[in-house]
Amino acid sequence: MTMKHRDCVSKLRAVGIELGFHATHRSHGKMYHMGNPDCVWYFKGRGAQELAKIARGDRYKYLPFVAFEVAYSESEKQLRGSLMTLQLTNAAASVIVLLGASAAHRKYLRRLIGRYSYLRFRIWTEEDVNFLYDSVFPQRAVHGVEQSLAADGAARRR
């Protein structure tokens, strides 16, 4: 796992928690051993107890709302596996985030997702994740820029 991959997953988890989801770095339920997305947001808001009956079919206490698979160096074949992992999670929406070398397969992935018209798949980039993170945590975005500028200034003074 690269730093970019880890950073992306951490941001997705932080956003999920901030938005009120039970956000984890791994999936839960009976399909865990068959496919494990990088991040899953489970619904735990108002009405979660009533919806728990549906989630019990997957042997988990929350319903999977959004599942994320972060692809950094996956080939076309591995991206097909990522799609299967997201299907097994059975979330309301699924997102594949393309980073690094995997970004070159965007066109292929878009065609492949077209074959799964009954599922809600989205393709994101690192910029999409950063935009979402900065929208949910605007104070961290500004603070991070200030920290970066301060570090650059300190490095120049040396």
Side-chain angles (χ1 to χ4, degrees):
M1 185 184 307
T2 67
M3 283 298 287
K4 276 192 176 230
H5 184 277
R6 191 172 307 136
D7 182 53
C8 185
V9 172
S10 294
K11 285 180 179 180
L12 290 168
R13 184 170 182 266
V15 168
I17 291 169
E18 183 67 20
L19 295 178
F21 293 100
H22 174 70
T24 67
H25 285 295
R26 60 186 179 93
S27 65
H28 296 280
K30 68 182 180 184
M31 295 298 179
Y32 170 76
H33 67 284
M34 298 175 92
N36 189 18
D38 291 306
C39 182
V40 182
W41 296 352
Y42 291 93
F43 180 75
K44 68 170 193 173
R46 185 175 169 199
Q49 282 187 325
E50 292 79 8
L51 296 172
K53 292 175 186 172
I54 300 168
R56 257 185 247 126
D58 288 335
R59 298 188 195 128
Y60 195 63
K61 60 184 175 179
Y62 300 120
L63 276 176
F65 192 71
V66 184
F68 298 90
E69 183 71 13
V70 179
Y72 186 78
S73 59
E74 282 82 343
S75 66
E76 290 179 354
K77 182 175 182 177
Q78 291 164 320
L79 287 170
R80 288 193 305 270
S82 294
L83 282 178
M84 182 56 67
T85 293
L86 293 172
Q87 279 184 290
L88 291 170
T89 305
N90 205 20
S94 297
V95 179
I96 293 183
V97 181
L98 296 177
L99 305 175
S102 292
H105 302 293
R106 184 182 184 108
K107 187 175 179 179
Y108 165 79
L109 190 59
R110 192 175 297 146
R111 281 193 335 262
L112 186 61
I113 286 174
R115 303 294 297 168
Y116 294 96
S117 60
Y118 62 93
L119 296 173
R120 191 172 281 126
F121 282 114
R122 297 293 180 262
I123 302 171
W124 284 8
T125 63
E126 182 178 14
E127 290 77 25
D128 296 311
V129 173
N130 289 337
F131 180 79
L132 176 64
Y133 183 83
D134 293 346
S135 297
V136 173
F137 298 107
Q139 70 282 4
R140 290 186 189 179
V142 172
H143 184 63
V145 169
E146 290 170 356
Q147 277 185 328
S148 177
L149 292 175
D152 287 346
R156 285 189 200 121
R157 287 191 293 272
R158 287 187 209 156

